[in-house]
Amino acid sequence: MIDLYYWPTPNGHKITIFLEEAGLEYRIHPIDISAGDQFKPDFLAISPNNRMPAIIDQSPDDGGAPISVFESGAILIYLAEKTGRYLPSELRGRKTVLEWLMWQIGGLGPMAGQNHHFVQYAPESVPYAIERYVNETNRLYGVLDKRLEGREWIADEYSIADMAIYPWTVNHQGQRQQLDDFPNLKRWFEAMRQRPAVITAYEKAAPWSQRSAVTEEGKKLLFGQTAQVCQGR
């Protein structure tokens, strides 16, 4: 049993996609990031960075006490190693999957995240920031499109790299990107969107995805954090 601490964001969707693909039993504990659930002491005990997702593996492979894991990339690697799926064991294949996983964690995720912030959430329009992050998102889409030329999946086989990257492309219109400009990415996107496990993962988000992802009060929590603010809650 995997306990998943989750909210329906791109990073949250990464983990439900894996769990559905692997057929692992799990239960969702919603962490409402607009209500400040991420600051509660019980959650901070397993996710000291105030961020979801996080998991607790109730039956770790070493037979010991439950193991908690935070940060979405670390969770994907942990689950892939636990199940022996979606991360090759041989040197070169593993290297490639980890490269593209880190590309998402260090590139597409942060840049698209800033894109979302300045396009959708900033209290006032900042044209320079909007142009900067929309253009960088566009560049990264181009990198991914080139990678997918002649390939069905990002690595040689379907992997945690695909699972990590896809949720960050779902809101391409909100990021001011047109998939028609990236035909290889568009083909891959449609293949991902139609996978049964991906469909189910997004269906699992339904109880919470109908709510506003970020409320006005939530913006104060999400976008005004400092060390003192986090420690003081």
Side-chain angles (χ1 to χ4, degrees):
M1 171 63 71
I2 301 293
D3 285 297
L4 170 62
Y5 296 81
Y6 164 92
W7 200 243
T9 69
N11 286 334
H13 292 312
K14 293 178 191 178
I15 310 307
T16 51
I17 290 172
F18 184 99
L19 293 167
E20 291 295 332
E21 292 281 11
L24 288 175
E25 186 179 2
Y26 68 101
R27 55 194 164 210
I28 290 176
H29 303 268
I31 299 296
D32 187 339
I33 58 177
S34 274
D37 288 354
Q38 68 272 38
F39 298 109
K40 293 180 178 178
D42 287 351
F43 181 66
L44 285 174
I46 62 172
S47 184
N49 194 37
N50 311 101
R51 297 290 188 269
M52 66 90 233
I55 65 167
I56 297 178
D57 181 359
Q58 299 293 346
S59 301
D61 290 349
D62 64 3
I67 290 177
S68 63
V69 188
F70 74 102
E71 292 295 325
S72 60
I75 295 169
L76 287 175
I77 294 170
Y78 177 87
L79 293 174
E81 292 178 342
K82 176 181 177 69
T83 60
R85 302 183 68 183
Y86 308 118
L87 177 61
S89 58
E90 57 88 15
L91 175 66
R92 296 174 190 273
R94 181 182 177 87
K95 183 274 303 184
T96 299
V97 170
L98 292 179
E99 283 178 331
W100 286 96
L101 175 63
M102 299 307 156
W103 176 85
Q104 182 279 304
I105 294 169
L108 181 61
M111 295 301 103
Q114 293 298 323
N115 182 323
H116 294 164
H117 177 81
F118 285 105
V119 170
Q120 300 178 47
Y121 299 125
E124 59 187 40
S125 179
V126 185
Y128 173 82
I130 292 172
E131 181 179 14
R132 164 78 177 99
Y133 291 112
V134 168
N135 286 349
E136 180 61 8
T137 304
N138 184 269
R139 185 190 73 82
L140 291 165
Y141 273 45
V143 171
L144 183 57
D145 187 71
K146 184 175 181 180
R147 172 63 186 175
L148 286 164
E149 184 175 359
R151 286 186 172 86
E152 183 178 8
W153 305 112
I154 291 167
D156 290 336
E157 297 180 354
Y158 182 64
S159 73
I160 57 174
D162 300 282
M163 300 177 201
I165 292 169
Y166 172 75
W168 284 100
T169 65
V170 169
N171 191 28
H172 52 271
Q173 292 182 331
Q175 299 165 7
R176 300 187 179 180
Q177 308 300 319
Q178 299 296 323
L179 289 190
D180 287 341
D181 296 337
F182 306 100
N184 301 311
L185 192 163
K186 183 177 181 180
R187 173 199 48 75
W188 168 85
F189 179 89
E190 291 299 327
M192 285 293 300
R193 187 173 66 87
Q194 295 171 27
R195 290 183 69 89
V198 173
I199 292 170
T200 302
Y202 276 80
E203 288 174 346
K204 290 288 181 72
W208 309 285
S209 60
Q210 302 304 314
R211 299 169 59 180
S212 176
V214 181
T215 63
E216 288 303 315
E217 184 63 26
K219 289 179 183 179
K220 298 176 185 178
L221 291 172
L222 293 172
F223 307 141
Q225 294 178 34
T226 64
Q228 289 75 22
V229 169
C230 293
Q231 292 167 3
R233 288 191 59 82

